[in-house]
Amino acid sequence: MTVKQANRTGNIKGLINSYFPALTKSEQKVADIVMQQLDQVIYYSVTDLADAAEVGETTVLRFCRKIGLKGYQEFKLAIAKDLANRTGDDSGNAVQNDLFTTISSYTIDAIHETVSMNSEEAINKAIDMIDQASSVHFFGVGTSGLTALDAKNRFLRIGRRVDAVIDPHLQAMTAATLSENDLVVGITVSGSTKDTIDSLKIAKENGAKTIAVTYHARSPITKIADAVLINGGKESPLEGSSLAAKISQLFVIDLLCTGLALKHKQESLEMKEKTAQSVVNKIY
């Protein structure tokens, strides 16, 4: 079976079976996990799958290339297509008749997941890191870039001069200018967004502190972050920009911003009044 055939039919299991004899023993362990846990693997980070198969991340990447795919994200996209063909739904989950209940429940569950996966200690550590930094830069691309821009808006309203950088080239250049007094917050649902991770590495190499906001507690970005905050709302490759994941990211930003505002209550209140007054004439 060719890659084009697999993409057309969405038959990822057939694709894996056709290449299975040519795989190494370690790669076959990855294949076995995928075949057994297809519904779960679609939400795994490359680190999660490597752990489940008890192999290294490089073995997972070799497995993806061995079966004719360019990388891990294309591999997950092939799984998503397969599941969509079976269920008739991009997410791999049958859409319920009651659309309002389904979507609202999914979003509420994502918020609850975010709360359960973050300790008060972790949130307070991140707040202190932001408070102590000379400059704070939110990095994100795509939909996570929009979250970075929202974070800039929120922190600006309480008088904090932060930056949001959503262009990968500008992220890299900004990271190269930072030092030990600066902080970068990298936002990525997958935890595997190459542009964001590469920029955080540059910042880290120059001494800056780093925070990761991601769905996957074990993913490439968490390995280089000084602090990790988890946002709920898993999404498959066909669900990019899912509302639940987006709201969960914004919820984490709200926790950080509100926590910092409470830490400097009077100053934050004064700045909220000043920033609100500055735009009062913009509204009829």
Side-chain angles (χ1 to χ4, degrees):
M1 177 180 291
T2 67
V3 177
K4 287 185 178 180
Q5 289 173 326
N7 286 338
R8 185 166 59 250
T9 63
N11 188 0
I12 186 66
K13 286 190 174 182
L15 178 64
I16 293 174
N17 281 329
S18 68
Y19 281 94
F20 194 87
L23 301 177
T24 65
K25 289 184 178 180
S26 294
E27 292 164 355
Q28 288 179 352
K29 292 174 68 176
V30 177
D32 287 337
I33 291 295
V34 174
M35 303 284 272
Q36 296 165 11
Q37 305 177 20
L38 196 65
D39 292 346
Q40 290 77 42
V41 169
I42 191 174
Y43 298 113
Y44 283 0
S45 68
V46 63
T47 308
D48 291 333
L49 181 53
D51 287 348
E54 298 182 342
V55 299
E57 291 178 13
T58 54
T59 300
V60 174
L61 297 177
R62 284 200 307 270
F63 161 77
C64 294
R65 291 192 292 269
K66 188 72 70 72
I67 64 174
L69 301 175
K70 294 179 181 178
Y72 190 65
Q73 293 309 308
E74 186 175 358
F75 163 68
K76 289 179 65 175
L77 181 59
I79 296 177
K81 289 180 179 179
D82 194 344
L83 294 176
N85 285 341
R86 296 186 200 176
T87 64
D89 173 38
D90 286 349
S91 66
N93 300 305
V95 176
Q96 303 296 316
N97 291 329
D98 190 345
L99 188 61
F100 289 115
T101 300
T102 301
I103 299 300
S104 62
S105 295
Y106 188 41
T107 303
I108 291 169
D109 288 345
I111 294 294
H112 288 163
E113 185 178 21
T114 304
V115 172
S116 67
M117 295 184 72
N118 289 286
S119 65
E120 186 174 346
E121 180 182 0
I123 294 294
N124 287 333
K125 176 183 177 180
I127 291 171
D128 288 340
M129 290 174 68
I130 294 172
D131 191 27
Q132 295 166 12
S134 297
S135 70
V136 179
H137 306 266
F138 291 90
F139 286 2
V141 297
T143 303
S144 293
L146 300 179
T147 301
L149 291 171
D150 188 83
K152 178 179 179 178
N153 175 63
R154 291 296 310 280
F155 279 89
L156 186 61
R157 288 178 179 273
I158 62 171
R160 293 288 172 151
R161 295 187 177 181
V162 304
D163 195 13
V165 188
I166 62 176
D167 178 270
H169 289 202
L170 292 178
Q171 284 181 3
M173 289 188 287
T174 299
T177 68
L178 304 181
S179 66
E180 63 274 6
N181 297 319
D182 302 310
L183 172 68
V184 173
V185 182
I187 306 172
T188 163
V189 175
S190 69
S192 302
T193 305
K194 190 176 187 301
D195 289 327
T196 304
I197 294 171
D198 289 347
S199 295
L200 255 67
K201 286 180 179 178
I202 295 172
K204 188 97 170 174
E205 290 168 358
N206 284 279
K209 304 295 189 300
T210 56
I211 296 175
V213 179
T214 180
Y215 175 77
H216 293 285
R218 288 185 55 78
S219 57
I221 197 171
T222 63
K223 296 179 180 180
I224 57 173
D226 298 305
V228 177
L229 300 177
I230 305 300
N231 65 266
K234 63 184 179 182
E235 61 181 25
S236 79
L238 296 183
E239 289 181 294
S241 307
S242 74
L243 179 62
K246 177 68 172 177
I247 289 178
S248 297
Q249 285 182 336
L250 295 175
F251 180 68
V252 171
I253 297 301
D254 198 13
L255 287 172
L256 296 175
C257 188
T258 303
L260 187 61
L262 290 173
K263 191 173 181 179
H264 302 279
K265 192 171 183 178
Q266 187 57 40
E267 178 186 346
S268 297
L269 180 59
E270 291 175 358
M271 292 307 301
K272 282 184 178 180
E273 292 175 353
K274 289 182 69 174
T275 53
Q277 187 64 38
S278 71
V279 297
V280 72
N281 293 328
K282 306 293 184 182
I283 305 174
Y284 286 106

